[in-house]
Amino acid sequence: MSDSQEMKYDTSILHRGADRDPYTGGLSIPIYNASTYHQKDVTGKQEFEYGRSGNPTRKALEETLAALEHGSNGYAFASGMAAITTALLAFLKAGDHLIAPRDIYGGTYRLLTKLLVNFNIAHTFVDGTDLHAVEGAILPNSKVLFLESPSNPLLRVTDIKASVALAKKHGLLTMIDNTFLSPYFLRPLDLGVDISIHSATKFLGGHSDLIAGAVMTRTPELGASIYSIQNMCGSMLGLQDSWLLLRGIKTLSARMNAQQNSAQRVAEWLRKQSWVTDVYYPGLPSHPGYQIIKEQASGFGAVISCTVDTTERALRIMRNAKLWTVAVSLGGVESIMSYPCRMSHAAIPLPEREALGITDRLIRLSVGLEDAQDLIEDLAKSAL
Ligand SMILES: *Cc1c(COP(=O)(O)O)cnc(C)c1O
């Protein structure tokens, strides 16, 4: 770990967190497969006592996660959903209420509507990009404003600073699902958000080879609340995957830049096709969130959604595509094409889904590291 404050962000990815094994100097932090540790003084406290509560491999990862997002603390979880669940349970109790965007990730939708309601934790879904609607949804028992930006799958952009100001005015805690931009393009804690959450399965891991989640906090006090639930519920990330995630993070800057450049090219190409009726990519100046995202983030990410003219066309593209893998998930080095109405957003009832624009003509594209021209040609051929 370096003390230099002048380090550029790309350098900090490799050197701001735990960059060497403190024991050997190794550039890869070893996997410490210990469930328990010898206690030298049984009446005292030591850093590592039991694997659920702490482990050197996970600690290295968690320090790296905190550094990536300029957070006071970082925590690694068994999945993005474990991270979201832990963050919500750490700050909500029976009788509380939260506000969340309507086009939220399908799994978060399920968590709020099927599980938290059983514990008398209520929610209101609003258009997160409409601050008047957000303010109108605030109740006396509201405790959390949950954001997701750009949202999944329509890439709607929320004004984060304005949302934080509104939340502060009403005494709400702010949380954001920052999976889509990754810390590389958006560091919400710098904008005043209290808790930032990731499905590290996506861009942070980057190689479609693990399921993981992350929570970063703005202050040590918020961090202590997250740690307490992580330790209580045992939702932390395992050690093999902690190591794999540390390895994936090392190439975050190279991946994000290359994938974003290709995404921009694919989005611009899609816009010109007669069979494409809408392109949702915040890097297009025609996107309604273009100005806001330019101000609050350093990039637009590598996820694009588009609506095509007919359901048949959508299905044909997915059946014919060769380079694009038809799958759920996003953020890996391989390009993935998904069908939100049948995959990630199948949990949202049909009328609500249609009203949101998540129709059976909507395809989501996660652009990987293949040559952009190859990806475009594959789309062109598949669509015909
Ligand atoms: C994938 C995803 C999640 C859930 O993460 P898992 O690692 O699959 O549990 C949450 N939010 C967003 C935006 C996602 O894309």
Side-chain angles (χ1 to χ4, degrees):
M1 181 145 18
S2 163
D3 340 349
S4 160
Q5 294 302 306
E6 302 305 318
M7 202 185 278
K8 299 278 195 301
Y9 189 76
D10 283 15
T11 311
S12 79
I13 293 173
L14 291 157
H15 295 293
R16 186 74 87 195
D19 63 351
R20 284 177 205 155
D21 173 27
Y23 184 54
T24 63
L27 288 192
S28 170
I29 308 290
I31 300 173
Y32 285 91
N33 269 323
S35 61
T36 192
Y37 304 84
H38 173 226
Q39 301 199 12
K40 296 186 189 90
D41 171 7
V42 78
T43 62
K45 281 291 285 175
Q46 61 186 46
E47 183 171 16
F48 300 113
E49 294 176 340
Y50 185 59
R52 172 159 40 75
S53 312
N55 170 281
T57 313
R58 199 171 79 238
K59 180 186 172 202
L61 169 62
E62 292 182 332
E63 284 178 1
T64 300
L65 290 171
L68 277 176
E69 212 137 295
H70 301 160
S72 64
N73 302 65
Y75 299 94
F77 292 90
S79 68
M81 287 317 303
I84 294 170
T85 306
T86 301
L88 292 174
L89 291 182
F91 298 102
L92 292 165
K93 58 183 189 330
D96 288 346
H97 171 260
L98 78 152
I99 295 150
R102 200 166 273 135
D103 56 338
I104 199 167
Y105 176 72
T108 313
Y109 179 90
R110 202 155 42 203
L111 173 69
L112 299 181
T113 56
K114 297 227 165 20
L115 185 63
L116 293 191
V117 289
N118 294 343
F119 299 89
N120 197 20
I121 295 169
H123 58 266
T124 302
F125 291 120
V126 295
D127 174 354
T129 66
D130 177 355
L131 286 174
H132 292 292
V134 174
E135 188 156 33
I138 297 174
L139 301 173
N141 59 337
S142 298
K143 292 286 153 60
V144 167
L145 174 58
F146 195 95
L147 313 172
E148 191 179 309
S149 179
S151 69
N152 182 14
L154 292 175
L155 290 305
R156 292 159 62 90
V157 176
T158 301
D159 184 334
I160 296 173
K161 270 193 189 159
S163 301
V164 166
L166 181 65
K168 282 225 173 88
K169 184 173 132 198
H170 293 274
L172 310 188
L173 206 65
T174 41
M175 298 186 187
I176 188 167
D177 183 334
N178 191 25
T179 299
F180 267 42
L181 288 186
S182 90
Y184 193 70
F185 289 134
L186 177 64
R187 294 184 283 281
L189 307 179
D190 288 348
L191 302 175
V193 171
D194 295 306
I195 313 271
S196 177
I197 309 172
H198 292 267
S199 169
T201 311
K202 316 292 169 55
F203 289 104
L204 282 171
H207 293 73
S208 314
D209 55 8
L210 86 156
I211 299 284
V215 173
M216 289 79 136
T217 62
R218 196 172 51 74
T219 69
E221 293 71 29
L222 295 165
S225 301
I226 297 289
Y227 174 72
S228 140
I229 307 299
Q230 181 196 46
N231 187 38
M232 219 182 281
C233 300
S235 49
M236 72 290 171
L237 186 61
L239 308 177
Q240 313 285 333
D241 285 345
S242 292
W243 181 86
L244 207 47
L245 185 49
L246 269 171
R247 194 170 85 148
I249 287 171
K250 291 185 189 203
T251 55
L252 187 68
S253 80
R255 287 186 285 109
M256 293 310 292
N257 283 314
Q259 290 176 233
Q260 164 170 266
N261 286 341
S262 294
Q264 185 77 36
R265 283 180 62 190
V266 172
E268 282 169 8
W269 177 82
L270 281 169
R271 228 161 59 95
K272 295 189 204 121
Q273 306 314 303
S274 57
W275 44 271
V276 175
T277 51
D278 274 300
V279 181
Y280 307 94
Y281 181 64
L284 294 175
S286 55
H287 187 285
Y290 178 74
Q291 281 308 331
I292 297 171
I293 197 170
K294 259 181 69 161
E295 278 161 31
Q296 68 192 16
S298 58
F300 310 111
V303 181
I304 306 166
S305 287
C306 69
T307 305
V308 297
D309 51 359
T310 62
T311 307
E312 293 67 40
R313 175 100 58 194
L315 295 174
R316 184 152 69 231
I317 292 170
M318 285 182 285
R319 286 194 189 114
N320 293 346
K322 301 236 163 22
L323 287 180
W324 297 83
T325 302
V326 177
V328 291
S329 200
L330 56 104
V333 292
E334 304 87 359
S335 291
I336 284 183
M337 179 183 282
S338 73
Y339 200 36
C341 69
R342 294 294 184 90
M343 295 176 169
S344 52
H345 293 69
I348 303 181
L350 182 68
E352 252 169 85
R353 188 150 43 68
E354 293 272 332
L356 285 172
I358 308 173
T359 67
D360 48 13
R361 293 182 293 115
L362 183 79
I363 297 176
R364 193 186 70 196
L365 304 171
S366 170
V367 180
L369 284 181
E370 299 89 345
D371 184 274
Q373 195 54 38
D374 284 344
L375 292 173
I376 288 171
E377 278 166 25
D378 194 34
L379 284 175
K381 278 195 210 127
S382 320
L384 300 178

